[in-house]
């Protein structure tokens, strides 16, 4: 399997994802598949021996609900590193509201993961909370997950990053911080 992960503006992104020109794009057998969650559903259907979605229809619907929630809300965290002043304060409030919903409704009553004992598509949909969000907190100075506020989320972040195939594939934190710091100053200076 050839996995192509490129940043926007590069020719191959335009070639593989001409509609949105965004990453990630999975190129399998020369054919591109775009949109993170479409890619995950493709992997689930192509390699059913490693299921990402539950088999029970009701549980599948529940998982899809949270995946949609993750997609809808990823932008509020993105806004934190792209803004300052009042807009940043609004993005901070929105992100805290999203985390509170996850703590109270998403993880409550669950086991180690959103998927129960094992990682499923919902855990992967919220991967950015486990790794990327800390980087954004560091470069903006906005603290979201602090003290004893989100015990279930904190435990989940720990469990998620403990899984070997996750920890072995996490992007380098320093490189991420440098990338997003530079991107933040570029966005703010052109605003
Ligand atoms: N809904 C899309 C969102 C993709 C997206 O926003 N990708 C960003 C990076 S996370 C991107 O390619 N931005 C353009 C750029 O970085 O130049 C998905 O989940 O795949």
């Amino acid at each position: 399997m050839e996995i192509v992960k490129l940043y926007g503006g590069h020719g191959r992104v335009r070639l593989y994802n001409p509609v949105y020109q965004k990453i990630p794009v999975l190129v399998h057998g020369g054919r591109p598949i775009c949109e993170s969650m479409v890619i995950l559903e493709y992997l689930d259907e192509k390699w059913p021996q490693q299921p990402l979605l539950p088999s029970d229809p009701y549980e599948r619907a529940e998982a899809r609900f949270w995946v949609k929630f993750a997609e809808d809300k990823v932008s509020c965290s993105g806004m934190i590193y792209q803004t300052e002043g009042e807009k940043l304060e609004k993005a901070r409030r929105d992100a805290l509201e999203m985390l509170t919903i996850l703590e109270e409704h998403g993880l409550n009553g669950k086991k180690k993961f959103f998927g129960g004992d094992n990682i499923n598509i919902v855990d992967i949909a919220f991967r950015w909370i486990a790794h990327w969000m800390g980087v954004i907190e560091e470069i903006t100075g906005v603290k979201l997950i602090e003290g004893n506020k989100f015990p279930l989320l904190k435990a989940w972040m720990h469990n998620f990053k403990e899984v070997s195939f996750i920890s072995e594939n996490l992007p380098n934190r320093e490189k991420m911080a440098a990338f997003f710091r530079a991107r933040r100053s570029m966005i703010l200076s052109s605003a």
Side-chain angles (χ1 to χ4, degrees):
M1 188 194 299
E2 184 202 358
I3 296 178
V4 177
K5 275 178 150 190
L6 296 169
Y7 285 108
H10 192 285
R12 278 214 281 174
V13 170
R14 276 197 288 276
L15 171 71
Y16 288 135
N17 189 357
V19 176
Y20 293 119
Q21 301 185 13
K22 291 201 168 180
I23 56 159
V25 175
L26 172 76
V27 182
H28 182 217
R31 294 186 298 180
I33 300 134
C34 305
E35 285 291 317
S36 327
M37 294 304 129
V38 176
I39 293 171
L40 288 177
E41 292 214 12
Y42 174 80
L43 297 177
D44 184 65
E45 287 169 14
K46 192 81 190 166
W47 287 279
Q49 61 276 27
Q50 296 282 332
L52 289 175
L53 273 160
S55 53
D56 175 73
Y58 182 78
E59 288 175 17
R60 283 169 90 84
E62 264 193 327
R64 288 192 168 114
F65 171 86
W66 287 111
V67 164
K68 173 145 187 5
F69 181 83
E71 287 188 293
D72 289 348
K73 300 294 179 186
V74 68
S75 59
C76 68
S77 307
M79 288 305 284
I80 290 178
Y81 89 88
Q82 295 179 28
T83 51
E84 52 192 349
E86 275 177 34
K87 284 188 183 158
L88 172 60
E89 180 48 28
K90 159 117 180 49
R92 190 188 70 86
R93 282 199 308 271
D94 288 348
L96 282 173
E97 190 180 274
M98 181 265 303
L99 295 172
T100 305
I101 290 173
L102 273 187
E103 180 79 14
E104 291 176 0
H105 302 279
L107 280 166
N108 216 348
K110 297 278 162 46
K111 295 181 181 162
K112 269 181 97 173
F113 301 105
F114 285 94
D117 287 328
N118 296 302
I119 277 190
N120 81 359
I121 197 166
V122 184
D123 298 280
I124 300 175
F126 285 116
R127 69 207 172 279
W128 44 276
I129 293 178
H131 195 54
W132 179 80
M133 192 174 257
V135 173
I136 300 307
E137 286 180 319
E138 182 190 316
I139 65 170
T140 57
V142 170
K143 276 306 268 175
L144 296 166
I145 300 191
E146 57 181 340
N148 299 324
K149 224 164 161 201
F150 298 108
L152 299 178
L153 259 177
K154 270 185 167 169
W156 170 80
M157 286 162 75
H158 174 81
N159 295 337
F160 184 77
K161 288 196 279 186
E162 282 276 287
V163 177
S164 59
F165 72 81
I166 299 291
S167 59
E168 285 158 16
N169 290 290
L170 284 176
N172 178 279
R173 200 188 151 98
E174 278 75 47
K175 282 190 185 161
M176 275 175 84
F179 174 82
F180 283 106
R181 197 169 278 122
R183 200 167 162 81
R184 174 170 167 77
S185 23
M186 193 187 78
I187 292 169
L188 293 182
S189 62
S190 63

